Amino acid sequence: MSSDGARVALRATRQRTAVRAALADGDQFRSAQELHAALRERGAGVGLTTVYRTLAAFAETGEVDAITREDGETVYRRCAESGHHHHLVCRECGRTAEVAGPAVERWADRVAAEHGYTEVAHTLEIFGRCPNCT
Amino acid sequence: MSSDGARVALRATRQRTAVRAALADGDQFRSAQELHAALRERGAGVGLTTVYRTLAAFAETGEVDAITREDGETVYRRCAESGHHHHLVCRECGRTAEVAGPAVERWADRVAAEHGYTEVAHTLEIFGRCPNCT
DNA sequence: ATGATAACGGAAACGGTTATCATCTTCGAA
DNA sequence: TTCGAAGATGATAACCGTTTCCGTTATCAT
């Protein structure tokens, strides 16, 4: 059980700072490629590879939320709430609300346990049309 | 005189029959590529493109379940239960159980309504390690 | 049987993501 | 302050599942 990957602090680099700054710029979910383009525009060039690595690392530590959209692309946003939560996403404009559902977590864990499953995780996203777009 | 855009029945082709037969062969979720290989092995050659198209069409009509795994690959299985349900998937061997969670459906709808969202849909998959693989 | 058109399928393109590997940076120990 | 090992970077090249392209073939109502 030496799987506590987030033990060693990440080194402080210009690139990681830049990615954080870019993330702080908005509260919408954005793809790695969009963030890469935004960084290039503001003059803080960061390699695409590094953007991917950095976002993956941030997601690992919980510093950002990462969700996989229906088309398979992964998008990131700095986390408003800490801890486990889900998202209510407008399929028109992308507006997102974070929602917590303790009951759902318990339900998922219980169902999995009833079937004898271990190391349980789950994905849950709610899609709809937000008030503005309705 | 159809009252709406009810879909025209799909034509009966050797390929669609073959894909159905391949799906009937097991009850695990399989990828389009796996099904394509299985079809080739049993001598019923079906183009990869056609396998993709056929599976997408079947998923559209509800004839098969399609879920997107954590790595982004889409996998298919013929549907055991009709109606809305979710899946408990072993991330090791792919074994799957279908689970219904009326309470979760209600929760999702309620949360979305509270935020003013309409035309609500949701995705929910539970991943874990099944008894055999633990 | 016939013709309109749905379906097919091999090849090439696509697009997001990851691997490679040579080079540069960080940071703690001396 | 200096030094160097481990960490981090990034341009490029794969990778891989999926979709598009488009000429050919099969289906089915008439």
Side-chain angles (χ1 to χ4, degrees), chain B residues 10 19 32 49-62 64 66 76:
Chain B
L10 299 179
V19 171
T49 305
T50 299
V51 174
Y52 274 105
R53 273 190 302 234
T54 302
L55 289 170
F58 285 176
E60 187 95 6
T61 67
V64 304
Y76 305 85

Side-chain angles (χ1 to χ4, degrees), chain B:
Chain B
M1 58 165 349
S2 52
S3 56
D4 62 356
R7 45 184 54 89
V8 179
L10 299 179
R11 287 185 178 174
T13 66
R14 174 182 69 78
Q15 290 86 347
R16 295 212 244 255
T17 302
V19 171
R20 261 193 206 98
L23 283 164
D25 238 19
D27 57 356
Q28 304 237 340
F29 276 93
R30 278 170 296 173
S31 68
Q33 316 236 19
E34 285 169 342
L35 287 164
H36 175 241
L39 285 164
R40 170 160 301 182
E41 238 170 63
R42 73 164 66 184
V46 177
L48 180 57
T49 305
T50 299
V51 174
Y52 274 105
R53 273 190 302 234
T54 302
L55 289 170
F58 285 176
E60 187 95 6
T61 67
E63 182 170 340
V64 304
D65 275 345
I67 71 176
T68 301
R69 290 192 315 207
E70 288 174 314
D71 70 353
E73 190 172 9
T74 304
V75 288
Y76 305 85
R77 188 177 74 157
R78 79 180 195 288
C79 221
E81 296 182 26
S82 60
H84 186 74
H85 56 267
H86 300 289
H87 297 102
L88 173 56
V89 186
C90 175
R91 61 164 70 85
E92 184 100 359
C93 70
R95 187 177 135 184
T96 305
E98 298 188 352
V99 296
V104 174
E105 321 299 333
R106 285 195 301 272
W107 172 82
D109 289 346
R110 182 171 52 75
V111 166
E114 282 171 4
H115 289 263
Y117 280 57
T118 59
E119 298 173 45
V120 179
H122 63 268
T123 65
L124 168 60
E125 308 295 343
I126 309 177
F127 299 95
R129 196 173 296 270
C130 79
N132 285 344
C133 297
T134 294

